[in-house]
């Protein structure tokens, strides 16, 4: 008995079901989302990132930050103890309108960064943390990102951008550590991460 037509129909039905479930239904659920506009101020939420923060998002992806840090806050009623005050509300699909691709992350080896621009809004802190994570938290297991910085001999006046590192992380006498353009962009991106605004489907909790 020739069962080839039945087998073909089975394969086609499986492919069609997966395509509908993974492509078409999500498109109609989320593909038409628009920013929320404040009727009083005209401000849009989520706000579109600036040029330097956009560049920083590329550095974020290239540096593999997504492998250890998530950017997704779970609903409070899950009570799984994993949100730890990292965000003022749960994240929703509208939050990722300007992220291509979205930086959701899959692991929390390090803390969630959804609102890190609010929790830690000091650029100098981020630079020193990226260069020498243990200088800010001795227990940190984060790898240093020293390749984003330049150690150079001081000629004339020290650079105003030089990191203010303390021993044993400070450079040798007469030298300074300054951020590269990639480091400055990455910090601009981290400082831009702020989801303290409410959305219709996700009020601040």
């Amino acid at each position: 008995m020739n069962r080839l037509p039945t087998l073909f129909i089975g394969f086609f039905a499986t492919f069609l079901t997966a395509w509908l479930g993974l492509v078409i239904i999500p498109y109609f659920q989320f593909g038409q989302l628009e920013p929320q506009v404040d009727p009083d101020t005209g401000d849009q939420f989520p706000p579109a990132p600036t040029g330097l923060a956009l560049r920083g998002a590329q550095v974020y992806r290239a540096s593999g930050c997504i492998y250890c840090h998530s950017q997704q806050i779970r609903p409070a009623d899950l009570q799984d103890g994993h949100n730890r005050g990292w965000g003022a509300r749960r994240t929703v699909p509208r939050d990722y309108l300007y992220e291509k691709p979205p930086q959701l992350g899959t692991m929390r080896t390090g803390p969630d960064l959804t609102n890190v621009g609010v929790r830690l809004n000091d650029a100098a802190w981020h630079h020193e943390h990226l260069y020498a994570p243990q200088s800010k938290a001795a227990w940190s297991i984060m790898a240093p990102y020293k390749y984003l910085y330049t150690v150079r001999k001081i000629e004339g006046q020290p650079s105003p951008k030089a990191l203010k590192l303390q021993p044993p992380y400070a450079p040798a006498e007469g030298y300074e550590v300054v951020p590269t353009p990639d480091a400055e962009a990455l910090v601009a991106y981290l400082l831009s991460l702020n989801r303290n605004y409410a959305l219709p489907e996700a009020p601040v909790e």
Side-chain angles (χ1 to χ4, degrees), residues 33-102:
L33 286 174
E34 297 288 342
Q36 176 71 18
V37 179
D38 187 314
D40 297 325
T41 64
D43 293 337
Q44 292 190 350
F45 300 99
T50 65
L52 190 57
L54 276 176
R55 168 66 186 142
Q58 296 175 357
V59 178
Y60 184 88
R61 288 192 291 273
S63 300
C65 304
I66 195 173
Y67 293 112
C68 292
H69 297 279
S70 62
Q71 290 188 38
Q72 49 177 315
I73 300 298
R74 301 181 178 107
D77 56 8
L78 285 181
Q79 296 181 344
D80 60 359
H82 289 180
N83 289 333
R84 303 175 185 175
W86 289 330
R89 59 170 174 79
R90 67 187 174 96
T91 48
V92 292
R94 196 189 304 267
D95 286 313
Y96 306 99
L97 282 179
Y98 298 111
E99 294 191 10
K100 300 183 185 310

Side-chain angles (χ1 to χ4, degrees), residues 2 7 16 19-20 24 51 66 68 115 124 136 151 164 181 204:
N2 186 0
L7 189 61
L16 180 63
W19 181 66
L20 288 172
I24 298 303
I66 195 173
C68 292
N115 245 21
K136 294 301 178 186
V151 180
K164 301 185 184 307
V204 172

